[in-house]
Amino acid sequence: MTRYKRKDPEITRRKFINAAMGGTVAVGGISLLSTLGTANPVFRLTRDKMPPLKGDVLVHAEESKEGQIIKVSELSDQLVRAWPMGKGEDGSNVIRKGDPNNILALFRFPKGQLVAPTNLEATVDGEIVAYSDVCTHAGCSVADSDQGDGMKCPCHSGQFDPKRGCIVTGGPPPRALAQLPVQLDGEQLVVSDFFLAMPYPYIAESEWESFKKEVEEQLA
Ligand code: FES
């Protein structure tokens, strides 16, 4: 099973900034600017590293079909991995796999099986749901459980229930897999907003909120 680990220099830089800010508070009197220097103060992500964004189309992530648009008829209670695909600065399609933490898990359950705390408003007809596929414990890619009862992480046996908001049902993960709002646009599944909760590797809501703001400002 593939293990996706963050090595994104932009994220690393953000974490460095956060660490630097903490350090600045700790030592007092040392300004953030003097800690960071002024050489590259501007946050900037390339489009392939941006998180799933409103309007992105969901495409297959499995190697044999990578980039092909996912059809509703291909979805079932078995996990289908997806990437969000958006537009580059030149208007061409860009699969946002530059950040491996953008990998997604899609399911389609019979009506009535998706229940709280799944946000049903963020599903397609209460049947199709999307989550981050990155384990909130240490970032491994989560798979279908071989027992047929939800999802299981191959690294330390974390378990999640995709019918109940991907809450943790076993093992060490500290929180649920983040749900991604999706909707149908013709035959295509498209993203309708940011993740509803902070995805891996974030550990503080404030960090996730400021990251979203930075992305929005960059796109404005
Ligand atoms: S990375 Fe998933 S349980 Fe540890």
Side-chain angles (χ1 to χ4, degrees):
M1 181 56 57
T2 307
R3 179 170 179 171
Y4 295 97
K5 289 201 80 173
R6 173 173 292 288
K7 287 193 176 111
D8 187 322
E10 296 291 347
I11 302 294
T12 303
R13 181 171 183 277
R14 278 203 309 284
K15 287 192 171 300
F16 171 69
I17 290 171
N18 287 340
M21 289 177 80
T24 301
V25 170
V27 298
I30 301 174
S31 75
L32 179 62
L33 266 185
S34 64
T35 306
L36 294 176
T38 54
N40 183 23
V42 179
F43 167 87
R44 189 154 186 87
L45 277 178
T46 51
R47 299 290 173 114
D48 66 315
K49 290 179 182 167
M50 288 189 169
L53 297 172
K54 183 174 181 178
D56 283 358
V57 176
L58 299 187
V59 298
H60 281 284
E62 295 297 334
E63 205 174 330
S64 61
K65 306 193 228 182
E66 188 178 276
Q68 292 177 25
I69 291 172
I70 292 173
K71 300 184 194 118
V72 169
S73 59
E74 294 174 297
L75 299 176
S76 69
D77 61 359
Q78 300 294 295
L79 184 159
V80 171
R81 289 202 177 86
W83 291 118
M85 182 174 75
K87 293 292 179 192
E89 296 195 21
D90 62 358
S92 62
N93 289 332
V94 171
I95 299 176
R96 301 196 202 281
K97 61 178 187 175
D99 182 348
N101 291 315
N102 284 338
I103 192 94
L104 303 168
L106 298 183
F107 294 93
R108 182 178 189 178
F109 296 110
K111 214 176 240 335
Q113 291 195 5
L114 275 175
V115 296
T118 312
N119 184 328
L120 295 180
E121 303 273 300
T123 66
V124 175
D125 293 335
E127 297 181 13
I128 296 172
V129 65
Y131 298 102
S132 164
D133 191 44
V134 183
C135 184
T136 52
H137 179 226
C140 294
S141 184
V142 187
D144 281 319
S145 162
D146 49 15
Q147 309 294 315
D149 56 350
M151 298 168 77
K152 189 166 180 179
C153 178
C155 292
H156 314 100
S157 301
Q159 292 171 272
F160 302 90
D161 184 348
K163 295 179 184 173
R164 293 188 289 151
C166 256
I167 58 167
V168 180
T169 53
R175 61 181 189 276
L177 300 179
Q179 187 182 343
L180 182 72
V182 289
Q183 61 189 36
L184 212 49
D185 182 5
E187 296 293 303
Q188 302 180 337
L189 276 167
V190 298
V191 177
S192 51
D193 206 341
F194 285 111
F195 283 112
L196 296 176
M198 62 177 175
Y200 182 87
Y202 293 90
I203 53 172
E205 285 292 347
S206 57
E207 187 187 35
W208 168 238
E209 289 303 319
S210 57
F211 176 56
K212 288 193 293 184
K213 199 163 161 241
E214 287 168 332
V215 170
E216 281 173 334
E217 283 171 4
Q218 187 177 318
L219 289 170

